[in-house]
Amino acid sequence: MIHQARLLQILFLPKTSFGVNFNAAIYDRFTNAALADLGNAFQLLFEYAKWSDDNIISVFDETIGTPALWSPPNISALLLNCSPIITEKVLISKAINNRFSEIVCISHHLLVASIRATRSIKPASDCIWSFMEKLNPSDRVYLASQLLNSLKNALFDMVDMGVEPITEVEAALEAISQFTENILNLALVSLRENRLSSGPGIHEVNKDTISKEPEFSPAVEE
């Protein structure tokens, strides 16, 4: 898969007078538009070349890891340009391998990249929630809370360092605001569904019958 990844880089990554701009891929940030062609190439290979899940994930990992691992904003911007199905499969592969810190990092930058591109987290959050639905409930809660903490801490860091331009801070703040709203909406929907299906309200339940929260176990449901 190394050769396929290298060919995709040569064909679709931005160039300098010295060749492929790996310096920007690793240490800087491409615009979403700069990665649009590469994202489209992954979509075409998956949809029409009928690459398997393992093939598309392997080539994706080789592409973002050669010659060194790309910066998180660039990885997320590329995923945003790929189809939601590919993004979800990449996240699932990391969950299967218990790489939850990477999932939080990628999801964080997906939300911010989505804000920059569309002023809405919807393109990214749809993929993230679809992925989270395949996790067990305790993992889902853990990841949502870690992602919110990651966004909050990044915002505090930017404010402390006086990051310019201010649009970076605005993007992070907007991502936190919209993601929090998503969580609250989902929580309210879940609460309504539970009330309809469970019968008596919480004030009618003996506290001794309330089960403990499940312990965190990083496993994906089959």
Side-chain angles (χ1 to χ4, degrees), residues 22 36 47 64-65 80 92 99-100 121 126 136 142 145 156 161-162 164 172 184-185 193 203 217:
F22 287 120
E47 294 174 11
I64 65 169
L80 203 60
I92 289 173
R99 293 155 68 178
F100 282 84
I121 65 168
D126 285 352
N136 63 53
Y142 171 80
S145 63
F156 288 159
M161 293 185 295
E164 295 291 345
L184 291 174
N185 287 337
E193 291 174 349
H203 63 283
S217 55

Side-chain angles (χ1 to χ4, degrees), residues 19 45 120 127 139 147 154 158 174 219:
L45 289 169
S120 170
C127 295
D139 291 352
L147 180 50
M158 283 189 285
E174 187 65 25

Side-chain angles (χ1 to χ4, degrees), residues 2-74:
I2 296 175
H3 299 298
Q4 289 95 326
R6 182 64 174 145
L7 182 60
L8 287 171
Q9 290 175 331
I10 293 171
L11 290 174
F12 299 113
L13 279 183
K15 311 290 193 303
T16 69
S17 57
F18 301 101
V20 177
N21 192 359
F22 287 120
N23 192 60
I26 298 166
Y27 302 109
D28 203 348
R29 190 182 77 220
F30 291 128
T31 64
N32 283 353
L35 295 172
D37 289 342
L38 183 55
N40 288 336
F42 273 105
Q43 290 187 57
L44 293 172
L45 289 169
F46 183 69
E47 294 174 11
Y48 298 105
K50 303 300 182 184
W51 280 17
S52 68
D53 291 2
D54 287 342
N55 284 343
I56 204 73
I57 290 168
S58 295
V59 174
F60 182 88
D61 286 343
E62 287 291 346
T63 301
I64 65 169
T66 305
L69 186 64
W70 291 13
S71 67
N74 284 332

Side-chain angles (χ1 to χ4, degrees), residues 135-153:
L135 304 179
N136 63 53
S138 60
D139 291 352
R140 201 177 303 145
V141 171
Y142 171 80
L143 279 176
S145 63
Q146 290 299 305
L147 180 50
L148 198 54
N149 285 337
S150 177
L151 289 164
K152 179 185 67 177
N153 292 336

